[in-house]
Amino acid sequence: MSPQPQEAVGAPLSRVDGRLKVTGKALYAVDHDIDAAVHAVVVDSSIGRGRMTGIDTRAALAQPGVLKVISHLNAPTLPYQRNPLPLNPPGERLHVFQDDKVLFHGQPVAVVVATTLEAAQYAAGLVTVTYDAQQPSTDMADAPAGEPQTYARGDADKALDSAAVHMEMTYRAARNHHNAMEPHATTARWDGDKLTVWDKTQWVYGTQMELATVFGMAVESVRVISPFVGGGFGSGLRTWPHVIIAALAARETSRPVKLALTRRQLYFGTGFRPTYEYSVRLGSDRRGRLTAMVHDVRAETSRYETFMESVLSPGKMLYSMPNVRQAYRTVPLDVNTPLYMRGPGYTTASYVIESAMDELAHKLGIDPIELRLRNEPDADESSGLPFSTRKLRECYAVGAREFGWHRRNPKARATRDGDWLIGTGMAAGVYDTVRKDAQASVRLDADGTALVQSAASDMGPGTYTSQTQLAADALGLTMRDVTFRLGDSLMPPAPPHGGSWTMASVGSAVQDGCDKLRQQAIELAVKDEKSPLHGVDPGMVVVCAGRLHVNDNPARGETYQQLLTRNKRTHLQTLGSFTRPTGPERFSLYAYGATFAEVAVDARLGLVRVRRMLGVYDAGRIVNPKLADSQALGGMVGGIGQALLEHTVTDHRDGRIVNASLADYLVPVNADIPSLRAIYLDGDDRKADPIGVKGLGELVQIGVAPAIANAVFHATGRRVRELPITAEALL
């Protein structure tokens, strides 16, 4: 069969939805003009634990424009049926307005609905709630942990006892919040017993299923629409209480309701990357060959749910060692439930493991890259499976060459630029390559244009564009002749938009559907006696710019438009699908990267500035280098924030978040962003999926924080084992 020409895939094309976004025409969750919509504002608890003893709504209800105040005192009982999908962490789930319990500071305790946003905001401030308050437990250091999740191979304790080199370190990472540009928001409308919501979500099917579960409805009676998501970083991967509240308020007032959380409410109304305490004991021989590593992990979770993530995975397989023991314990606290945040689990584990490797390299006097090379495994030692691809050696080599690693003075605190101490560091990164079941509908109209649809999301990586590129090449059309639509539960199902699996999953479904439709058109042509392609072997026909022709005779052919018009077809249509292979995996599937960083530290003030950063990635086939760069540079910026700035602060007296604003929760700004560069190794991993891609969006943040931390040590000679690295820690 002749290969289909590839003109769009691999090209650094601009976003097809870019103009809509920069002109303000892209509509987000509360931008939709819904007739007769009113506004809702949530009232939050001012205590961290206890019970409500009273709610006085008289002053609020007396305000002009206020329609209703809903709380547990007057809310209907909601079914909260068992959800067949694993939407939430296991546990009881927060039952909105169903009892008088307060489980964390900022928990929704009431909602005010009014004809204007200003009236709702003012009235919400007039609602008086009295409490029987108890002392909340919000400090992980003072709380007991639950039963551990464990993993072991070999005898780590025995190996550590006999190791020539034995090191013990404890690292801590602060809680981080997602802080996407678009706040979480929902517009809800009931039409009889049918519910439609416009929601900020990374999984329209998940929100649809959750709403059906809570309200005891048939799933098909709920429609979820989310064409644009203004950033998510994982925060939209579950349905938060405000979504339920918006739908409840709309039903109780018989009016469409718009509800947008404030920036402050995002700090307790949605999830976060939890606080971690991560201890490591490692053993090696004097040449740096690892013999054992023990991981003891503690992480915060809510008391009413148990949240866990893949923090143990990198320690199982990143480096070769015969003896590993791991224990991962969650610490239940009176906080809202954490959630996945970019590079979930792996980002935290990478910071610890890569910092520990740097400490070992320094102790043994071995170059950090050389130490990693000495511990490269031949296969995945946690599963015994061969790697589908593993180009970490090439990542190190290319990164070292392009970064100028050979110019590095290995001695700490040896390089200066005036008052600035200069240091360089590096770290490896790894993230698993996951694929999920997905479907996509493909329709080719008689005018030669195509429409491709799937209920996926696009929170920023460029799903609209990358899927259009795949479809254009598979159908043999130009980009302008293909429209890709997403974000509606009426469309074919797609998995959550997270975990770096959208391209592999939805993309494989799009490829399948477009291949099927192209073959459908070719079969129609070769069987059509009036077609120039009549009688041609279908395997010899390709399509380019909407024209079907014989591969070695471009003059012999016709356009889609001519073919369909002559056959009196208004369109051709098919459904593409991708099903994750069942049964045991045959390969270890991961994407890899190496991050290099140069920092300057003010010798007198302890201020850290990142000067430059380079990332080199083994991420399979790159569909769009411009989109990939957007992801890589964004991941580096996020890693800079994690390493040097981001830290959610809790007042443990009552569980209040102290810095719940972008004025006080620090994220990188333009002045913090230096020269950033990304390199992608040639790759095409068909063992992973039919289109040869691996996820990139998570990988690009993993390894950034340890590369910076290692560079700070190289600059100052001081090892800081707590994120973020502050000036106080360096003075």
Side-chain angles (χ1 to χ4, degrees):
M1 179 177 291
S2 298
Q4 177 65 14
Q6 301 290 296
E7 296 184 359
V9 172
L13 303 181
S14 297
R15 296 171 186 259
V16 298
D17 55 327
R19 183 172 294 276
L20 288 175
K21 290 181 174 177
V22 300
T23 58
K25 294 180 180 178
L27 299 181
Y28 296 84
V30 291
D31 292 338
H32 297 271
D33 187 13
I34 309 300
D35 188 47
V38 296
H39 297 268
V41 171
V42 173
V43 179
D44 313 305
S45 69
S46 58
I47 66 168
R49 184 181 181 185
R51 290 184 178 272
M52 291 173 274
T53 56
I55 300 179
D56 188 345
T57 63
R58 290 171 295 180
L61 289 169
Q63 297 305 307
V66 174
L67 302 177
K68 193 157 190 173
V69 180
I70 306 170
S71 70
H72 75 281
L73 297 178
N74 61 349
T77 300
L78 298 177
Y80 280 95
Q81 298 171 340
R82 180 174 176 81
N83 197 318
L85 293 178
L87 300 182
N88 298 314
E92 288 301 314
R93 184 199 269 118
L94 185 67
H95 288 197
V96 180
F97 302 160
Q98 299 298 290
D99 56 44
D100 62 359
K101 297 177 183 177
V102 175
L103 304 179
F104 56 88
H105 193 286
Q107 175 185 318
V109 295
V111 63
V112 176
V113 187
T115 53
T116 67
L117 176 60
E118 293 77 11
Q121 290 171 331
Y122 181 66
L126 298 176
V127 175
T128 301
V129 184
T130 55
Y131 303 94
D132 177 11
Q134 302 173 20
Q135 177 63 43
S137 172
T138 59
D139 189 348
M140 195 173 72
D142 298 330
E147 290 299 312
Q149 181 185 97
T150 61
Y151 168 84
R153 67 172 181 261
D155 189 335
D157 291 315
K158 183 177 180 181
L160 284 172
D161 288 341
S162 60
V165 180
H166 185 186
M167 301 178 68
E168 298 186 20
M169 296 82 72
T170 296
Y171 302 87
R172 293 176 176 84
R175 182 196 288 191
N176 291 170
H177 270 84
H178 301 82
N179 277 306
M181 287 296 292
E182 180 197 12
H184 280 264
T186 304
T187 300
R189 182 184 70 197
W190 290 84
D191 299 291
D193 59 355
K194 306 286 187 181
L195 172 62
T196 301
V197 299
W198 292 261
D199 188 39
K200 174 179 176 169
T201 178
Q202 294 171 230
W203 191 17
V204 295
Y205 272 97
T207 300
Q208 179 192 41
M209 184 67 70
E210 182 77 350
L211 286 167
T213 297
V214 170
F215 287 95
M217 303 166 60
V219 174
E220 56 269 20
S221 295
V222 181
R223 182 183 180 187
V224 179
I225 303 171
S226 183
F228 295 101
V229 178
F233 311 107
S235 64
L237 285 172
R238 72 172 292 180
T239 305
W240 297 106
H242 71 274
V243 184
I244 311 300
I245 293 171
L248 176 63
R251 193 174 72 173
E252 292 298 293
T253 59
S254 299
R255 298 280 294 271
V257 166
K258 293 188 175 187
L259 193 164
L261 297 183
T262 65
R263 181 64 58 178
R264 183 182 68 86
Q265 288 174 323
L266 296 178
Y267 286 81
F268 40 75
T270 62
F272 51 89
R273 193 195 308 277
T275 301
Y276 274 93
E277 181 182 276
Y278 194 140
S279 296
V280 169
R281 291 187 291 149
L282 65 83
S284 78
D285 63 23
R286 298 204 177 276
R287 299 188 66 255
R289 291 296 302 269
L290 295 169
T291 57
M293 190 175 289
V294 172
H295 309 249
D296 286 305
V297 185
R298 298 173 82 247
E300 65 178 329
T301 188
S302 67
R303 196 179 297 279
Y304 59 93
E305 290 179 311
T306 300
F307 172 78
M308 303 186 81
E309 56 188 356
S310 299
V311 72
L312 299 183
S313 296
K316 297 177 183 178
M317 50 68 61
L318 185 53
Y319 295 112
S320 175
M321 70 186 83
N323 306 286
V324 178
R325 181 164 59 80
Q326 297 178 315
Y328 172 18
R329 295 173 174 85
T330 56
V331 181
L333 300 173
D334 297 312
V335 299
N336 63 311
T337 305
L339 192 67
Y340 311 107
M341 187 170 174
R342 196 170 194 175
Y346 286 76
T347 299
T348 301
S350 171
Y351 161 61
V352 172
I353 294 168
E354 292 303 287
S355 295
M357 290 293 284
D358 201 71
E359 295 202 42
L360 178 61
H362 176 74
K363 182 170 184 174
L364 296 176
I366 300 173
D367 180 84
I369 295 178
E370 175 59 28
L371 178 66
R372 287 163 173 81
L373 290 172
R374 293 181 187 183
N375 290 283
E376 264 292 285
D378 296 323
D380 185 334
E381 294 180 352
S382 68
S383 64
L385 296 174
F387 298 112
S388 63
T389 72
R390 183 178 169 113
K391 299 181 180 178
L392 258 179
R393 291 179 181 273
E394 191 174 347
C395 289
Y396 297 147
V398 172
R401 183 187 69 237
E402 296 297 315
F403 191 75
W405 187 260
H406 65 280
R407 296 192 296 270
R408 179 181 193 260
N409 185 334
K411 185 178 179 181
R413 207 180 173 90
T415 305
R416 299 181 70 105
D417 181 2
D419 289 335
W420 295 90
L421 301 168
I422 309 302
T424 53
M426 58 80 57
V430 60
Y431 194 78
D432 59 345
T433 298
V434 180
R435 302 91 74 222
K436 301 277 188 179
D437 294 356
Q439 293 182 351
S441 64
V442 184
R443 174 182 171 126
L444 176 69
D445 288 326
D447 63 0
T449 63
L451 174 64
V452 184
Q453 298 185 98
S454 181
S457 295
D458 188 348
M459 62 174 166
T463 309
Y464 279 106
T465 308
S466 57
Q467 303 300 336
T468 303
Q469 289 176 267
L470 276 176
D473 279 352
L475 293 171
L477 294 172
T478 62
M479 289 282 289
R480 66 177 175 271
D481 289 327
V482 178
T483 299
F484 180 77
R485 292 179 182 162
L486 54 73
D488 191 327
S489 59
L490 294 181
M491 297 173 180
H497 183 51
S500 286
W501 55 56
T502 297
M503 194 70 242
S505 307
V506 178
S508 294
V510 167
Q511 182 78 45
D512 178 65
C514 293
D515 284 346
K516 287 177 179 176
L517 193 141
R518 186 184 76 252
Q519 291 303 318
Q520 187 178 339
I522 291 172
E523 292 289 343
L524 181 64
V526 300
K527 293 177 181 178
D528 182 357
E529 294 181 356
K530 296 181 180 181
S531 172
L533 296 170
H534 178 249
V536 173
D537 178 359
M540 295 299 294
V541 179
V542 297
V543 188
C544 187
R547 186 173 181 274
L548 301 82
H549 66 83
V550 180
N551 183 40
D552 57 2
N553 184 9
R556 185 178 178 182
E558 64 176 330
T559 65
Y560 281 132
Q561 190 170 3
Q562 291 169 327
L563 174 66
L564 269 63
T565 301
R566 186 177 61 252
N567 283 274
K568 296 181 173 55
R569 298 286 191 96
T570 60
H571 67 277
L572 300 176
Q573 189 164 355
T574 190
L575 182 68
S577 63
F578 171 74
T579 303
R580 183 183 180 276
T582 57
E585 293 282 8
R586 296 184 298 114
F587 297 95
S588 175
L589 302 170
Y590 290 90
Y592 300 90
T595 303
F596 295 78
E598 179 183 296
V599 304
V601 182
D602 190 298
R604 295 177 296 174
L605 301 178
L607 299 176
V608 181
R609 293 289 182 265
V610 177
R611 287 193 165 188
R612 60 190 177 104
M613 192 173 293
L614 169 68
V616 184
Y617 308 107
D618 165 26
R621 187 181 181 206
I622 302 298
V623 172
N624 185 322
K626 182 180 285 190
L627 294 177
D629 268 359
S630 178
Q631 286 294 285
L633 304 189
M636 292 181 196
V637 172
I640 291 171
Q642 181 187 20
L644 302 176
L645 298 169
E646 297 188 48
H647 181 195
T648 304
V649 180
T650 302
D651 185 336
H652 297 304
R653 294 174 299 178
D654 60 5
R656 180 176 64 93
I657 305 299
V658 175
N659 59 335
S661 74
L662 287 180
D664 300 304
Y665 181 100
L666 302 181
V667 297
V669 297
N670 285 349
D672 299 307
I673 308 308
S675 170
L676 306 178
R677 183 186 175 198
I679 297 173
Y680 315 98
L681 303 182
D682 289 339
D684 192 335
D685 192 351
R686 301 299 167 119
K687 298 184 182 70
D689 51 73
I691 58 175
V693 303
K694 297 186 179 187
L696 184 67
E698 316 288 354
L699 174 67
V700 290
Q701 183 162 340
I702 298 164
V704 176
I708 293 173
N710 294 338
V712 168
F713 170 75
H714 183 235
T716 65
R718 176 170 293 188
R719 179 68 62 176
V720 179
R721 298 192 180 118
E722 185 167 351
L723 296 183
I725 298 171
T726 63
E728 292 84 353
L730 292 171
L731 291 177

